[in-house]
Amino acid sequence: MNIPTKYEVLLDLYDSGSLPPDEQVELAQFLIDTDLVEQLTQYQPLCDYFIAEGMCYDVVTGES
């Protein structure tokens, strides 16, 4: 899957510690929605944190 440029930039900013919290939530939700978090496992703790805090959601389908 190609990652849209916007999210590539957000990933770079996150990795450098420069991504504001509201954009971290947006990035995490994108990774969850596209299942990229399964491939980019270094972001799993970020996504898990925002899910636990109720800032992101992970809809579980019958396929999982």
Side-chain angles (χ1 to χ4, degrees), residues 22-39:
D22 59 326
E23 290 182 310
Q24 289 179 27
V25 173
E26 180 183 349
L27 174 61
Q29 190 64 63
F30 170 77
L31 293 172
I32 295 164
D33 289 347
T34 59
D35 289 327
L36 280 171
V37 71
E38 302 296 326
Q39 296 170 5

Side-chain angles (χ1 to χ4, degrees), residues 6-61:
K6 171 185 177 177
Y7 292 103
E8 287 181 354
V9 170
L10 293 180
L11 287 168
D12 289 342
L13 288 170
Y14 179 79
D15 290 341
S16 70
S18 302
L19 190 63
D22 59 326
E23 290 182 310
Q24 289 179 27
V25 173
E26 180 183 349
L27 174 61
Q29 190 64 63
F30 170 77
L31 293 172
I32 295 164
D33 289 347
T34 59
D35 289 327
L36 280 171
V37 71
E38 302 296 326
Q39 296 170 5
L40 304 173
T41 56
Q42 68 268 37
Y43 302 108
Q44 188 70 56
L46 172 74
C47 295
D48 289 346
Y49 172 78
F50 284 128
I51 290 170
E53 291 297 318
M55 300 170 109
C56 288
Y57 61 92
D58 186 9
V59 177
V60 179
T61 62

